[in-house]
Amino acid sequence: MITYNADGTAMPKIRKTDTTAWIKRVAAAHNRRVGEVGYLFVDDEKILEMNRQYLGHDYYTDVITFDYSEGNRLNGDIVISLDTVRSNASQYGRPYDEELHRVIIHGILHLCGINDKGPGEREQMEQAENAALEMLAGGAM
């Protein structure tokens, strides 16, 4: 089950049913099943507060993933700052909806075991994100 909630910001205009089906297809492509995944959309100040409180990081970010997965079953909480998604879309010259879906799937890819901090990992993450976005062509955007 995938849930979508907002705290301190408006819920983004995503087609939840289509987005959920897409997330499940991406997970299946990585030999995973979706268990309990909760999305929380927030503003920059809330994600900064959570980054400080839970990770000890004193900076803004677009997404934080809390992984509770067991085996091939994905369980976790994914917190997304819509403010940072908006500014990143502008900075990278991408449509807002594309950047939002990139960040939505970025959290799932972390739950699938793909990292982006070590040598060569960022490129692997970008490839996985791009492949997932291609799978979205069914119309969730």
Side-chain angles (χ1 to χ4, degrees):
M1 173 184 214
I2 300 175
T3 59
Y4 304 90
N5 294 289
D7 181 8
T9 191
M11 179 68 73
K13 292 180 168 109
I14 57 173
R15 294 183 189 150
K16 294 177 188 171
T17 302
D18 292 340
T19 301
T20 295
W22 169 58
I23 290 167
K24 289 179 179 180
R25 286 194 310 273
V26 171
H30 291 273
N31 299 312
R32 303 293 200 283
R33 294 182 5 244
V34 173
E36 299 290 328
V37 175
Y39 281 93
L40 180 62
F41 299 99
V42 299
D43 61 15
D44 270 351
E45 294 312 310
K46 182 68 175 178
I47 207 162
L48 177 61
E49 175 188 318
M50 294 179 84
N51 213 6
R52 287 174 175 157
Q53 180 177 353
Y54 296 108
L55 302 176
H57 299 159
D58 192 21
Y59 53 82
Y60 296 98
T61 188
D62 51 0
V63 60
I64 299 173
T65 304
F66 297 96
D67 188 353
Y68 316 121
S69 298
E70 298 174 3
N72 72 343
R73 186 180 174 113
L74 304 182
N75 298 300
D77 291 314
I78 300 170
V79 183
I80 295 174
S81 170
L82 297 178
D83 292 337
T84 300
V85 168
R86 196 169 289 108
S87 61
N88 284 351
S90 177
Q91 178 181 343
Y92 299 129
R94 293 187 183 128
Y96 171 77
D97 285 346
E98 177 184 323
E99 187 64 18
L100 177 59
H101 283 87
R102 181 177 297 278
V103 175
I104 285 171
I105 212 62
H106 183 94
I108 293 296
L109 293 170
H110 273 308
L111 296 180
C112 288
I114 300 172
N115 296 311
D116 58 358
K117 300 292 186 213
E121 290 180 339
R122 181 69 215 149
E123 294 78 9
Q124 289 176 333
M125 176 61 83
E126 286 178 15
Q127 288 174 352
E129 289 170 352
N130 291 337
L133 288 170
E134 287 178 21
M135 293 173 70
L136 184 60
M141 291 174 77

CSV table of all heavy atoms in Angstrom, one decimal, residues 2-30:
chain,number,residue,atom,x,y,z
A,2,ILE,N,0.5,2.2,-0.8
A,2,ILE,CA,1.3,3.4,-0.9
A,2,ILE,C,0.3,4.6,-0.5
A,2,ILE,O,-0.8,4.6,-1.0
A,2,ILE,CB,1.8,3.7,-2.4
A,2,ILE,CG1,2.8,2.5,-2.7
A,2,ILE,CG2,2.5,5.0,-2.4
A,2,ILE,CD1,3.3,2.6,-4.2
A,3,THR,N,0.8,5.4,0.4
A,3,THR,CA,0.0,6.5,0.9
A,3,THR,C,0.7,7.8,0.5
A,3,THR,O,1.9,7.9,0.4
A,3,THR,CB,-0.3,6.5,2.4
A,3,THR,OG1,0.9,6.5,3.1
A,3,THR,CG2,-1.1,5.2,2.7
A,4,TYR,N,-0.1,8.9,0.3
A,4,TYR,CA,0.4,10.2,0.0
A,4,TYR,C,-0.3,11.2,0.9
A,4,TYR,O,-1.5,11.3,1.0
A,4,TYR,CB,0.0,10.5,-1.5
A,4,TYR,CG,0.4,9.5,-2.5
A,4,TYR,CD1,-0.4,8.5,-2.9
A,4,TYR,CD2,1.7,9.7,-3.1
A,4,TYR,CE1,0.0,7.5,-3.8
A,4,TYR,CE2,2.1,8.7,-4.1
A,4,TYR,CZ,1.2,7.7,-4.4
A,4,TYR,OH,1.7,6.8,-5.4
A,5,ASN,N,0.6,12.0,1.6
A,5,ASN,CA,0.1,13.0,2.5
A,5,ASN,C,1.0,14.3,2.3
A,5,ASN,O,2.1,14.2,1.8
A,5,ASN,CB,0.2,12.5,4.0
A,5,ASN,CG,-0.7,11.4,4.2
A,5,ASN,OD1,-1.9,11.6,4.3
A,5,ASN,ND2,-0.2,10.2,4.4
A,6,ALA,N,0.4,15.4,2.8
A,6,ALA,CA,1.2,16.6,2.8
A,6,ALA,C,1.1,17.3,4.1
A,6,ALA,O,0.1,17.1,4.9
A,6,ALA,CB,0.6,17.6,1.7
A,7,ASP,N,2.2,18.0,4.5
A,7,ASP,CA,2.3,18.7,5.8
A,7,ASP,C,2.9,20.1,5.5
A,7,ASP,O,4.0,20.2,5.2
A,7,ASP,CB,3.2,17.9,6.8
A,7,ASP,CG,3.3,18.5,8.1
A,7,ASP,OD1,2.6,19.5,8.4
A,7,ASP,OD2,4.1,18.1,8.9
A,8,GLY,N,2.0,21.1,5.7
A,8,GLY,CA,2.5,22.5,5.6
A,8,GLY,C,2.6,22.9,4.1
A,8,GLY,O,3.1,24.0,3.9
A,9,THR,N,2.1,22.1,3.2
A,9,THR,CA,2.1,22.5,1.8
A,9,THR,C,0.9,21.8,1.1
A,9,THR,O,0.4,20.9,1.6
A,9,THR,CB,3.4,22.1,1.1
A,9,THR,OG1,3.5,22.7,-0.2
A,9,THR,CG2,3.6,20.6,1.0
A,10,ALA,N,0.6,22.3,-0.1
A,10,ALA,CA,-0.6,21.7,-0.8
A,10,ALA,C,-0.1,20.4,-1.4
A,10,ALA,O,1.1,20.2,-1.8
A,10,ALA,CB,-1.0,22.6,-1.9
A,11,MET,N,-1.0,19.4,-1.4
A,11,MET,CA,-0.7,18.2,-2.1
A,11,MET,C,-0.4,18.4,-3.5
A,11,MET,O,-1.2,19.1,-4.2
A,11,MET,CB,-1.9,17.2,-1.9
A,11,MET,CG,-1.8,15.9,-2.5
A,11,MET,SD,-0.5,14.8,-1.7
A,11,MET,CE,-1.4,14.4,-0.3
A,12,PRO,N,0.7,17.8,-4.1
A,12,PRO,CA,1.0,18.0,-5.5
A,12,PRO,C,-0.1,17.4,-6.4
A,12,PRO,O,-0.7,16.4,-5.9
A,12,PRO,CB,2.3,17.4,-5.7
A,12,PRO,CG,2.5,16.4,-4.6
A,12,PRO,CD,1.7,17.0,-3.4
A,13,LYS,N,-0.3,17.9,-7.6
A,13,LYS,CA,-1.3,17.3,-8.5
A,13,LYS,C,-0.7,16.2,-9.2
A,13,LYS,O,-0.2,16.3,-10.3
A,13,LYS,CB,-1.8,18.4,-9.4
A,13,LYS,CG,-2.5,19.5,-8.7
A,13,LYS,CD,-3.0,20.6,-9.6
A,13,LYS,CE,-4.0,21.4,-9.0
A,13,LYS,NZ,-3.7,22.7,-8.6
A,14,ILE,N,-0.8,15.0,-8.6
A,14,ILE,CA,-0.3,13.8,-9.2
A,14,ILE,C,-1.5,12.8,-9.3
A,14,ILE,O,-2.4,12.9,-8.4
A,14,ILE,CB,0.8,13.1,-8.5
A,14,ILE,CG1,0.5,12.8,-7.0
A,14,ILE,CG2,2.1,13.9,-8.6
A,14,ILE,CD1,1.5,12.0,-6.3
A,15,ARG,N,-1.5,12.0,-10.3
A,15,ARG,CA,-2.6,11.0,-10.4
A,15,ARG,C,-2.1,9.8,-9.5
A,15,ARG,O,-1.3,9.0,-9.9
A,15,ARG,CB,-2.8,10.5,-11.8
A,15,ARG,CG,-3.3,11.6,-12.7
A,15,ARG,CD,-3.5,11.0,-14.1
A,15,ARG,NE,-3.8,12.1,-15.0
A,15,ARG,CZ,-3.5,12.1,-16.3
A,15,ARG,NH1,-2.9,11.0,-16.8
A,15,ARG,NH2,-3.8,13.0,-17.1
A,16,LYS,N,-2.7,9.7,-8.3
A,16,LYS,CA,-2.2,8.7,-7.3
A,16,LYS,C,-2.3,7.3,-7.8
A,16,LYS,O,-1.4,6.5,-7.6
A,16,LYS,CB,-3.0,8.9,-6.0
A,16,LYS,CG,-2.7,10.2,-5.3
A,16,LYS,CD,-3.5,10.4,-4.1
A,16,LYS,CE,-3.3,11.8,-3.5
A,16,LYS,NZ,-4.3,12.1,-2.4
A,17,THR,N,-3.4,7.0,-8.4
A,17,THR,CA,-3.6,5.6,-8.9
A,17,THR,C,-2.6,5.2,-10.0
A,17,THR,O,-1.9,4.2,-9.9
A,17,THR,CB,-5.0,5.4,-9.5
A,17,THR,OG1,-6.0,5.7,-8.5
A,17,THR,CG2,-5.3,4.0,-10.0
A,18,ASP,N,-2.3,6.1,-10.9
A,18,ASP,CA,-1.3,5.9,-12.0
A,18,ASP,C,0.1,5.9,-11.4
A,18,ASP,O,0.9,5.1,-11.8
A,18,ASP,CB,-1.4,7.0,-13.1
A,18,ASP,CG,-2.7,6.9,-13.9
A,18,ASP,OD1,-3.4,5.8,-13.9
A,18,ASP,OD2,-3.1,7.9,-14.5
A,19,THR,N,0.3,6.8,-10.5
A,19,THR,CA,1.7,6.9,-9.9
A,19,THR,C,1.9,5.6,-9.1
A,19,THR,O,3.0,5.1,-9.1
A,19,THR,CB,1.8,8.2,-9.0
A,19,THR,OG1,1.5,9.3,-9.8
A,19,THR,CG2,3.1,8.3,-8.3
A,20,THR,N,1.0,5.1,-8.3
A,20,THR,CA,1.1,3.9,-7.5
A,20,THR,C,1.4,2.7,-8.5
A,20,THR,O,2.3,1.9,-8.2
A,20,THR,CB,-0.1,3.7,-6.7
A,20,THR,OG1,-0.2,4.7,-5.7
A,20,THR,CG2,-0.1,2.3,-6.0
A,21,ALA,N,0.7,2.6,-9.6
A,21,ALA,CA,0.9,1.5,-10.5
A,21,ALA,C,2.3,1.6,-11.1
A,21,ALA,O,3.0,0.6,-11.2
A,21,ALA,CB,-0.1,1.6,-11.6
A,22,TRP,N,2.8,2.8,-11.4
A,22,TRP,CA,4.1,3.0,-12.0
A,22,TRP,C,5.2,2.6,-10.9
A,22,TRP,O,6.1,1.9,-11.3
A,22,TRP,CB,4.2,4.5,-12.4
A,22,TRP,CG,5.6,4.9,-12.7
A,22,TRP,CD1,6.4,4.4,-13.7
A,22,TRP,CD2,6.4,6.0,-12.1
A,22,TRP,NE1,7.6,5.1,-13.7
A,22,TRP,CE2,7.6,6.1,-12.7
A,22,TRP,CE3,6.1,6.9,-11.1
A,22,TRP,CZ2,8.6,7.0,-12.4
A,22,TRP,CZ3,7.0,7.8,-10.7
A,22,TRP,CH2,8.3,7.9,-11.4
A,23,ILE,N,5.0,3.0,-9.7
A,23,ILE,CA,5.9,2.7,-8.6
A,23,ILE,C,6.0,1.2,-8.5
A,23,ILE,O,7.1,0.6,-8.4
A,23,ILE,CB,5.5,3.3,-7.3
A,23,ILE,CG1,5.7,4.9,-7.4
A,23,ILE,CG2,6.3,2.7,-6.1
A,23,ILE,CD1,5.1,5.6,-6.2
A,24,LYS,N,4.9,0.5,-8.6
A,24,LYS,CA,4.9,-1.0,-8.5
A,24,LYS,C,5.6,-1.6,-9.7
A,24,LYS,O,6.4,-2.6,-9.5
A,24,LYS,CB,3.5,-1.5,-8.3
A,24,LYS,CG,2.9,-1.2,-7.0
A,24,LYS,CD,1.4,-1.7,-6.9
A,24,LYS,CE,0.9,-1.4,-5.5
A,24,LYS,NZ,-0.5,-1.9,-5.4
A,25,ARG,N,5.5,-1.0,-10.9
A,25,ARG,CA,6.2,-1.6,-12.0
A,25,ARG,C,7.7,-1.4,-11.9
A,25,ARG,O,8.5,-2.3,-12.2
A,25,ARG,CB,5.7,-0.8,-13.3
A,25,ARG,CG,4.3,-1.3,-13.8
A,25,ARG,CD,4.0,-0.8,-15.2
A,25,ARG,NE,4.2,0.6,-15.5
A,25,ARG,CZ,3.4,1.6,-15.3
A,25,ARG,NH1,2.2,1.3,-14.8
A,25,ARG,NH2,3.7,2.8,-15.6
A,26,VAL,N,8.1,-0.2,-11.4
A,26,VAL,CA,9.5,0.0,-11.2
A,26,VAL,C,10.1,-0.9,-10.2
A,26,VAL,O,11.2,-1.5,-10.4
A,26,VAL,CB,9.8,1.5,-10.8
A,26,VAL,CG1,11.2,1.7,-10.4
A,26,VAL,CG2,9.4,2.4,-12.0
A,27,ALA,N,9.4,-1.1,-9.1
A,27,ALA,CA,9.8,-2.0,-8.0
A,27,ALA,C,10.0,-3.4,-8.6
A,27,ALA,O,11.0,-4.1,-8.4
A,27,ALA,CB,8.9,-2.0,-6.8
A,28,ALA,N,9.0,-3.9,-9.4
A,28,ALA,CA,9.0,-5.2,-10.0
A,28,ALA,C,10.2,-5.3,-10.9
A,28,ALA,O,10.8,-6.4,-11.0
A,28,ALA,CB,7.7,-5.5,-10.7
A,29,ALA,N,10.6,-4.3,-11.6
A,29,ALA,CA,11.7,-4.3,-12.5
A,29,ALA,C,13.0,-4.5,-11.8
A,29,ALA,O,14.0,-5.0,-12.3
A,29,ALA,CB,11.8,-3.0,-13.4
A,30,HIS,N,13.0,-4.2,-10.5
A,30,HIS,CA,14.2,-4.4,-9.6
A,30,HIS,C,14.0,-5.6,-8.7
A,30,HIS,O,14.6,-5.7,-7.6
A,30,HIS,CB,14.4,-3.1,-8.8
A,30,HIS,CG,14.9,-2.0,-9.6
A,30,HIS,ND1,16.2,-1.8,-9.9
A,30,HIS,CD2,14.2,-1.0,-10.3
A,30,HIS,CE1,16.4,-0.7,-10.7
A,30,HIS,NE2,15.1,-0.3,-10.9
